[in-house]
Amino acid sequence: MVTVRYLPAVAALLLLPLVPTAANAAPSGTYYITSVSTGLNVAQSGTGLALRRPKGNEDHQQWRLSDGRFENTDSPGQCITRQLTMGSCSQGDTVHEPKQFGDQWEFFSLSGQSRWYLTPVQNQTDPMPADPRLDQMTFLTAHNAYANGVDGGFAPPFVNLAKNQTRGIVQQLGDGVRGFMLDIHQTPDGAILCHNSCTLVSKPVALNVDIQRIVDFLRNNRSEIITVFLEDYVSADVLRAELRKVQGLNDVLYRAEGVRQNGWPKRSELQAANKRLLIFTDHGKDGREDSGVLYQKDWTVENYWSMGSGLGSSDWSCYSRWDEKPLTATGSFQPLFVMNHFRDVPFTGTATTDNGKLGNRAQQFCQPAARKKPNFLAVDLYHLGNAAQAVSELNSYVYRA
């Protein structure tokens, strides 16, 4: 089901009486109007309005702003009224008095959701600096990197039918993959890489084995930066024990010291300190962060993981995986943006087509939805559809909201 939240038509027909720190006219141009609190976009819905998941302009989410009027680009001459309906732009009650609060605006009141972002439809960019910060860079990321049929896989029969990747971790590193999504489950042997259940996995691999491969690669490639995302179903003690087995891990593990105060470091700073491996866990805080892993919700935003089933049409909308933290979330530092771009089940033909559209979805759908450039492009079968080209394109510029 696509989320649709209708705006009250009469209950909120007043402009907010708050006094802003500065009052400016809304800029002219074509924009998405995004709720600060939910990350949903204002869309035209018949003669009224709705809040919908960001989806480009596939369902009337683009608005032309001029002289305090909000005209829907799919309905020329039709503007948002103060009653939160659609009416002729020539009507007096389609003129709003926007008030600016930093990068947020107030135009109209609706169910307590009163602050909005105006995000340009056309991406605004600056050239990529020679020494970018971590949050300005984009990395090719392998979804379920361990489920590759070479050095790990699902339990039968899925290992043969639906591998997320077809190349082992070592080759993935050589091919330029710099983000690795790994699922770990607890067994008597420790933290094992598998999906849902480790029973009957044809080639079980322990987490320490793949982390060691990554650390060894970093030791031999001093300029590279790698990130690991753990879907984590093990105890804190098991995770600690597993990481202690990795030789040289502490030499390269980055613990995000000072990021809350100073923002993310530059590439050269990570290289100079030799702290070039980030490990995130989706497991709630229970002390495991003492081992150097970072709780992902504290440091990143992430869109919903699935574009749909393995076959047929896909859902290109870009909205948060976590209801409590929209993609637009920011704070004392810019959260890293993990962009998921894969289906429920990987099929070669579908992945080839989807990966060929990766750059387009990143730039036209997910960047404006998050008001930031994706830092990690996570795909199935990364070698198909030229996902690396999308990464290269995003690494040519810095997104400016």
Side-chain angles (χ1 to χ4, degrees), residues 30-32 56-57 60-64 71-74 121:
T30 305
Y31 292 86
Y32 299 106
N57 198 38
H60 318 301
Q61 295 184 17
Q62 292 181 2
W63 300 90
R64 187 176 297 110
E71 178 186 26
N72 192 271
T73 58
D74 289 335
V121 168

Side-chain angles (χ1 to χ4, degrees), residues 70-87:
F70 296 78
E71 178 186 26
N72 192 271
T73 58
D74 289 335
S75 302
Q78 292 294 301
C79 290
I80 299 175
T81 70
R82 297 182 191 177
Q83 290 77 27
L84 303 183
T85 60
M86 297 297 296

Side-chain angles (χ1 to χ4, degrees), residues 156-174:
F158 301 108
V159 67
N160 297 318
L161 297 178
K163 295 186 290 291
N164 295 101
Q165 311 298 335
T166 59
R167 299 177 178 183
I169 296 296
V170 171
Q171 185 172 355
Q172 291 179 35
L173 287 163

Side-chain angles (χ1 to χ4, degrees), residues 138-296:
T138 300
F139 301 91
L140 179 60
T141 301
H143 170 237
N144 284 353
Y146 64 94
N148 52 59
V150 176
D151 47 24
F154 294 124
F158 301 108
V159 67
N160 297 318
L161 297 178
K163 295 186 290 291
N164 295 101
Q165 311 298 335
T166 59
R167 299 177 178 183
I169 296 296
V170 171
Q171 185 172 355
Q172 291 179 35
L173 287 163
D175 289 345
V177 174
R178 295 296 178 263
F180 296 84
M181 292 182 167
L182 307 175
D183 294 10
I184 50 173
H185 290 261
Q186 191 161 323
T187 76
D189 297 321
I192 301 300
L193 296 161
C194 56
H195 195 265
N196 294 329
S197 171
C198 294
T199 303
L200 301 180
V201 170
S202 58
K203 297 180 180 179
V205 175
L207 174 65
N208 75 85
V209 173
D210 276 351
I211 299 297
Q212 188 69 65
R213 288 169 170 150
I214 291 169
V215 170
D216 291 345
F217 177 85
L218 289 171
R219 184 184 298 116
N220 295 321
N221 297 270
R222 299 284 301 203
S223 65
E224 300 296 340
I225 299 166
I226 293 177
T227 304
V228 172
F229 299 90
L230 298 179
E231 188 170 324
D232 186 349
Y233 301 99
V234 307
S235 70
D237 288 341
V238 166
L239 181 59
R240 291 191 195 98
E242 197 72 22
L243 295 178
R244 281 197 297 268
K245 298 175 184 177
V246 181
Q247 296 180 8
L249 174 61
N250 288 330
D251 294 337
V252 296
L253 187 61
Y254 178 63
R255 298 172 180 260
E257 298 95 334
V259 171
R260 296 188 187 281
Q261 296 76 29
N262 305 313
W264 296 101
K266 293 181 178 180
R267 177 169 56 197
S268 64
E269 294 170 328
L270 291 168
Q271 292 168 341
N274 196 31
K275 299 300 183 181
R276 297 174 291 119
L277 174 61
L278 292 81
I279 302 179
F280 291 104
T281 173
D282 67 353
H283 199 290
K285 296 179 181 178
D286 59 0
R288 69 189 58 222
E289 61 273 15
D290 294 344
S291 59
V293 299
L294 305 171
Y295 180 45
Q296 189 177 344

